[in-house]
Amino acid sequence: MNGHAHSKTDGLTSTEAAERLKSYGPNDLDDPKLQRTFLAVVWEEVQEPMMVLLLILGTLYSLWGNVVDTLTIFVTVCLLVSVEVVTEYNAKSSLDKLHGSIAHNIAVLRDKKLTILRSDYLVPGDIFFLSRGQKLPCDAQVVESVGLAVDESLLSGESSAVSKFVPVAGSSEDKEAEVDQCYAMTNVVSGRGTFLATNTGLTTRYAHLRALSHKRFRQKDRKTPIQKLMKRVTYILTWNAAAVSLLVLLLSYFVVGTTWQASILTAMSLAFATIPEELPLIVKAVMAVGARKMADHGALVRRLRAADSLGAVEVLVTDKTGTLTRGIGMDLRSAVLIAAGDFVGAHDAATAAAQTNGVANPNPIKAIYPASTTPLVPSDVERIALFLSTWALSTGLLDATAGDSHSLHEMDVFDAAILAYLDTDSGRLPVYRDALASAIAEFPKPVAEMPFNPTTRISGRCRSARTEQAVRVAVVLKGSPETVIAHCTRAIGPRKAGASPGATPDTVELTSEARAAALGFFHEAANTGQVIAYAMRTFEVPDEPASDDAGLFESKDCTFVGGFLFHDPVLPSAADTVAKLREAGVRVVMATGDGEGTAVAVASETGILLGPAVTGTVVSGQELARVLADAATAEDKDFKDELAAVYYRASPENKYDLVTALQKAGHVVGMVGDGANDGPALAQADVGVAVGGGTNRTDVAMDSASLVLLSPEGGIAGLVDCIQEGRRMHDNVRKTVIFYLGCKSAIIILFIVALVTIRKLPLNPVHVVILEMFMDVGASATFPVEPAEGHVLRRPPSKSTDGVFGWHAILTMVYACLALFGVVGGAFVAGLLALEHDPSADPRLPVSMAFMAWLIGHVVLGLSCRTQVEPLRIHGYFTNRRFGLWAVAVFGSGVTVTVIPGVHDALGLAELSWAWIGIIWAVALVLILVPGEVSKEILWRKMQGPVVRANGGPNRGENGGHHVDERTPLLA
């Protein structure tokens, strides 16, 4: 522990800060020069292989074809580039904005007052304060530190945390090691510090290194499973499409007898239409739209893998404080103290029995309710006053009283609850004020601090006072009852009979029986709240203790003072959210550092624990470690089978190991937390959810998470909507793939069948290019925004890759392909038959019929693909406005080029009558839409009622057993 300090400064005034902000600019680490511009995206899209192929096709048309076809192709190129650029740019812009949309708040000293500011308002010269779990917002010099260690692996690659402190004057070694220099984007992993901002924005070391490498240091999105799958599928289908195009070229030249120029144009246009180059972009567009929709509801997607995995989450591990409970604004319920005369051994048995009417008191603990309206007896008031003086030594209140705003900022939610009590009528007693004042006077000098350790669950402070003979030292420990009591050999006991008011009570021996009884009481008390215990040790030494003397806090000879019982209310939305998650098939598990009683009480109130706690449903962190070790040796054993509902006294390592074990068993895991101790598990989980709406959130949790909830209701409110959105994205990817590949397969079959059987081209090359444009726009612009179907939260979770190429999807795709081929091929044959019946008819009639049939048929197919299970009459025919606009544009274009006189000649098409168009619509509806809607009606009727249950509900196992109805919708 380091406690060296430079001379204090008062920071900047608001006027000085405003001037420096104008001079230096905002503290923004993102260099605009490194951002992809709109023109850069345009250039990238123009260089895409398919665009290059289309440009070559247009050039060849200008040499071998007519001017109208050439212009049509180049206009199509411009339209496709525009659509893809807008889609790509919007997707990337949305995700980039979400990456930077979480502002970190910093405690800054301005105008000699503590002020909370956004980190981008920091300027050089600012004094700011950080503690464990926060990120350095800029380059800074350490002004004061207590146990400060910083993770600089982002910049240096060194995995070990680096201690930071103010070097001793004249120490060249410390100066060379830069022990007082900290850099932007590094994390405080322990302790706390006061910092002087030196470099901000693009002048920081992070910004300099990033500019040299032209790479983002922040974690990049790994390709999601669905993106990897689409990339593999695109690669395979591209080679297949190239082979088919070569086959069409040969058939066109050798079988049909077209010129080699026309055969090449046909093959190239077919390659353009059948290579599925849009699939990866469509998947990205679907996830970007989903991320944007979640942002509108207060959920920020920071990594695409979260959007991809949300719909697949099977197990959700959640912390308690700040996620299920309020976490801030706790209430002080009672002070838990040693009751007078209760410890047999401190006095003889006869005296103890006499003090309790002849019966020894079996309960050595006394709960006093200081916030009660019932007047307290004087002895209780004095005991609380003594306790408050001990509490004051355990916080930064003394320093804050002396003018140190940082210490006031550092007080946790428990200290804030005590301060709130002291500001009430029952808390403004002179004896309490005198107790705090005496503590300030008795031990005025801070010596050392042991920051809270989430593993040991204890913190400590040391203060001193110099007398003429020696240095008096007070060490106060604060933490969980079992940890604090383990450091104690005695406890504050009864005051001697006849002792003067204010006299210090005697201490009594803390026997094994007393320890067990005390811990039992605290365990019971935890059923109604959270207990924070306190212990104290005072001693004298000749000289001032060293600030880095670890032995100050390791002594087991402390005196137990008592505990405060706090109430952290459960959030109103928590129970409803847990119930909805259970109905969606998501198993919810609590992993908290709190004690068993507190954990069980909250789990029962929120519905995570159903029924009484029995063996196996409530497990300690130590037992979890043992179970995980056993599971690791049994390779064929699914750890989920032994998953408990509640894990108490769970360390950060326990949470991380729990998430990892579930993932190794093949499960998709979500983790919810808001503290620095949740960071490792948040980063490891498939979906790390940081609750960012509260003031107690930490930068480490926010940066480790892939999804941040900013719901005004707090906690996990809004998580159900996120999971619904995740499942909607999965569905929309499947729908897009079925539509997209169904259309491409149909056009391949159309050409091959027509060339082999009829020996005629069903469409001209320019027609294929136009149809491909409409198909790409329909797939990339309409399906990503399709609303969710009504059953998405009543079915089991599924991975984004599940069902995309499963047999249900393949059967649906095959039917879509054959039905569309039937409509278009039938129209082409009908045109040929019409020519035979009336030789005077326009010879271009069959091609015109096929062209219009394709436009109408793929619109009807798109309409059918909008839902997988929910009938369109329930889902709504007009709920997707983009689809409606696209359908109108497609049909309107078809009418324009086949009905309006003169226009059809430019594209080599015959004029179509409205009768023919009506027949094509009727055939398309009967062959494509009607069979699909009939099958959906059957499936929908079977799905009525709950189909998914987890953690209980109808057909549930006892105490949160997990049962899932395995019925899966046909097309899901």
Side-chain angles (χ1 to χ4, degrees), residues 61 78 151 164 234 241 271 281 389 474 575 755:
Y61 246 108
C78 294
D151 177 7
K164 297 292 182 178
T234 300
L281 176 60
S389 65
L755 289 173

Side-chain angles (χ1 to χ4, degrees), residues 181 228 267 312 316 325 334 412 610 850 908:
Q181 300 297 315
K228 293 177 182 177
L316 183 71
T325 63
S334 62
D412 57 26
L610 298 167

Side-chain angles (χ1 to χ4, degrees), residues 571-629:
L571 289 166
S573 60
D576 183 59
T577 301
V578 170
K580 289 179 178 178
L581 289 170
R582 181 189 310 124
E583 290 301 318
V586 180
R587 177 77 180 273
V588 183
V589 175
M590 178 197 294
T592 176
D594 289 327
E596 180 179 1
T598 303
V600 168
V602 173
S604 299
E605 187 172 349
T606 56
I608 293 176
L609 185 65
L610 298 167
V614 297
T615 303
T617 62
V618 179
V619 176
S620 68
Q622 290 182 341
E623 178 64 14
L624 170 62
R626 186 195 64 77
V627 172
L628 290 175

Side-chain angles (χ1 to χ4, degrees), residues 604-797:
S604 299
E605 187 172 349
T606 56
I608 293 176
L609 185 65
L610 298 167
V614 297
T615 303
T617 62
V618 179
V619 176
S620 68
Q622 290 182 341
E623 178 64 14
L624 170 62
R626 186 195 64 77
V627 172
L628 290 175
D630 292 343
T633 60
E635 297 181 358
D636 60 340
K637 192 174 184 180
D638 187 348
F639 173 69
K640 189 179 177 184
D641 296 337
E642 298 188 16
L643 192 61
V646 177
Y647 294 98
Y648 65 94
R649 290 291 182 239
S651 66
E653 292 78 11
N654 291 147
K655 296 178 183 180
Y656 174 85
D657 291 341
L658 174 60
V659 170
T660 303
L662 287 166
Q663 289 175 321
K664 286 181 178 179
H667 302 294
V668 179
V669 185
M671 172 68 200
V672 186
D674 68 343
N677 59 321
D678 299 317
L682 288 170
Q684 175 63 26
D686 297 284
V687 182
V689 183
V691 177
T695 57
N696 58 331
R697 72 189 188 192
T698 63
D699 296 344
V700 168
M702 302 284 277
D703 291 335
S704 300
S706 50
L707 177 72
V708 179
L709 292 180
L710 298 175
S711 169
E713 298 177 48
I716 58 175
L719 189 56
V720 175
D721 292 335
C722 292
I723 288 179
Q724 176 174 313
E725 184 61 32
R727 295 186 181 184
R728 185 194 70 84
M729 288 188 285
H730 289 185
D731 288 350
N732 287 353
V733 168
R734 294 178 185 127
K735 296 170 186 177
T736 305
V737 169
I738 291 172
F739 170 77
Y740 191 68
L741 296 185
C743 288
K744 289 186 178 292
S745 301
I747 201 169
I748 289 174
I749 295 176
L750 176 67
F751 267 83
I752 292 177
V753 171
L755 289 173
V756 171
T757 60
I758 307 175
R759 298 188 177 184
K760 291 181 180 294
L761 288 173
L763 295 166
N764 294 333
V766 68
H767 303 152
V768 175
V769 172
I770 294 173
L771 297 178
E772 165 66 10
M773 178 190 69
F774 283 122
M775 181 172 58
D776 281 354
V777 172
S780 61
T782 66
F783 284 102
V785 297
E786 186 63 44
E789 297 180 46
H791 72 293
V792 292
L793 291 178
R794 295 190 293 113
R795 71 181 193 210

Side-chain angles (χ1 to χ4, degrees), residues 53-63 69-70 73-74 265:
L53 176 63
L54 200 55
L55 289 172
I56 294 174
L57 181 61
T59 303
L60 293 178
Y61 246 108
S62 67
L63 298 175
D69 287 353
T70 301
I73 288 177
F74 281 114
L265 292 177

Side-chain angles (χ1 to χ4, degrees), residues 479-498:
S480 66
E482 56 265 38
T483 305
V484 171
I485 289 178
H487 283 75
C488 299
T489 57
R490 303 188 69 78
I492 298 293
R495 188 174 55 221
K496 292 180 180 179

